[in-house]
Amino acid sequence: MKRILYIIIIIMVSVNTFAQNKSMTDTVYSIKEVEILGASKKKVEIGKLNVPLQYLPMSVSTVSYKDLEIRGISNIEDAVKFLPGVRMNTSYGAFQTLYVRGMTYTPIMIDGVRDERTMINSYPFSDLTNVESMELLKGPASVLYGHSVLGGVLNIVRKSPTPQTVVNMKMSYGSWNNKQANMDFGGNLVGPLNYRANFNYGDQNGWRATGNKRLSGYLALGADIDATSRIDVRGSFHRDWYGTETGLPPVMMADVYNADGTLYLKAGQEIPRLNEKKRYNNESDFLKNNGWDISGKYEKKFSKYMKLTNYLSYKYDDINYLGTEELSYLYSMDPVYKHYIDKGTYKMYINLDSVQLTYPLRFSHIAKTLGNQLELSGDFYTGNIKHNFLGGYSFSQLFRNSYTGYNNAPENDKFNSEYDIYGPGIYSVIAVNNPQSMGYMKSKFSKAIITKDYTHGIYFQDLIEFHEKFKLLLAARYDMYKYMRTGANTYDGIREYHKSGQTPYSIATNSAFTYRAGMVFLPISELSIYTSVASYFRPSRTFPAANTIYLNKNGSEIDIESGKGIFDPEKGYQFEAGTRYTYKSILQASASVFYIRKNDIVRSFGRLSVGSDANGTPVMKSIIGQVGSEESKGFDIEVAITPTHFSSFSLGYSYTDTKTLDIQPNKYVSIDTQNITLVPHNTFYAYGSIVLPKGIFRGLSYNLSVSFMDKVYTNYAKSMSFSSYWLTDMGISYPLKNGIRLSGNVNNVFDKKYSNQAVYGTQRVPGMPRNFMLSLAYSLR
């Protein structure tokens, strides 16, 4: 690490000297110390149409990387707190799931192309240092971006090639030995060819000693081939390592009593006076996430009224994971421990002085995604009515090989290397108050699951300007989806499988029509009022499994056919109404109300008794049914104010009420309406920046951020919840000579104790206490 820092310092000094000499010979460079961006009638890429945002009947929020950079934010879980109605759930240290408007598995896109991995499960997301902005389209958007887009879709817009010379370098050091270095370059290479490049390195012990490390690089090349055509090629890589996170010992699942019969802990409480800095993971735990991507975008203008765009992309991602997950207490029917749980007819004694590492999990996902979008866009007139149109065809294929090592050695034979996970660390018992490693674990893979996803989509949308004050949006899409899955055994425990021994593919096919219709009214040019209705669908990937009963939409048992999908697509819709107001470059405000309905949900109800065999022994089977629906309703408010050129302020508030509804009655399961988990009712943020425009401290800037997260349940049983909390962050920055800037940030200023992650919904992961980051940056523009 020291060698890297020394190299960066030498480069910074060399570039600074070169810049000064060059400015004295043939070029004048202007160093812009402070840049405050105000509100504007801007266009957003996520809406796809080349029209102002005021014309679109949809709710869109944006965050500029400049707002994140001055606050020292480079992680997506920290960045999304500046988007109303959004929550990022991070589990096991790095697996991230985005919730928008109460709905889970919000897809994430890179430069307008979906990251298909986020449609399957939670995944790690690399740093944001190569990002220009983040755009969030809230509500169903399947008509624009295909299946599974219900709560919204997040678009990560990366930095574009630029003809202007850009040199940005930054070194940072913070709490718990947090070291970061970033280099960002751009400019003209030769002729019409421009570029943008970014390199980032991070190494942090972490306040809970996770020891996370990050390394990423990015390069974008762009050129105008001629007056009517342009090409843009981008590529990036990342090599990230995470220490994983199993959290603290679990909360009590029932009331716990002292030996004398007095109440010690209530259900839902955790052991008191835990040291939140202590980790309970095994020493062998790790999560590696390596990947790279390349994309090419070609644009051809046939006239000023019509343009053809083709976007081809390929992404490779490799996740390799071994993690201690479940922490369990030891129980006994004998009074050998000093606490017990009252079971009514007997007492179950529990040991609260130690926990057992009961179920380490070993898996690896290698995903390869190929995608292409071909779009024709432009505008034309029918009489006096203007049409802004876009039509396209999209194709994506995701090939994912998942390797598993779930066959753990039994506790009485933990050193047997014939099993997938073995060694002295498996099933080890560690002290609650002073956890110490009880030995390593070794692992290998035994099974492979090979899956293939294919999606074809044809879509068209038209924004009709039939009056100066009225705009009408009509959009439709038809998607065809195919999912294939098979299994095989691995070669000698490594990530290769016997192709000759794989089972026949099971195949599920879905197709669906989705739509969006909306009207916009502009009583004055600064104000727009809109309403819209939009739909979505999520395809089914469920195949028959042994000892499982499947229920259809009516609650009746399904007569399954082996090798084929079981359930129909999940479908839903949203009604939304909203308004936007913009006053010059000073004020930009928006508000919206929404109602989302999700139908035909597939839910697992666990293993239940479905009768008895001839000997009277209960027969246990898993119950899975497409029997429910959910609804989410609420509203969002956002305001951005730029009263002067040296100050800006933003705030946002969201209320979301999400419930599970209409569980169809059946002879196996009866569930009442309830709130679903991991969805806060209220979220709020406010942040601002002020720069001193005059005086001896000219250019000195201050920034302050405040965010609120409401109470959140962590599981369907509601046995644990995160309390609501406020977080306050602040920073200061001062420009020195020759483009050098010093800055410092303090996060969680008031050292608030909070949590926003949990493992298994019962093992709380404490949030980071007060911490700081100091940075030295150089910029040449």
Side-chain angles (χ1 to χ4, degrees), residues 423-434:
I426 190 171
Y427 306 112
S428 58
V429 178
I430 58 178
V432 164
N433 292 321
N434 188 25

Side-chain angles (χ1 to χ4, degrees), residues 4 60 75 125 344 355 389 422 472 481 595 605 621 698 731:
I4 294 176
V60 179
N75 300 320
F125 196 89
V355 286
F389 74 91
Y422 60 94
L472 174 65
Y481 175 81
Y595 175 84
F605 300 103
K621 289 191 176 183
R698 179 180 181 272

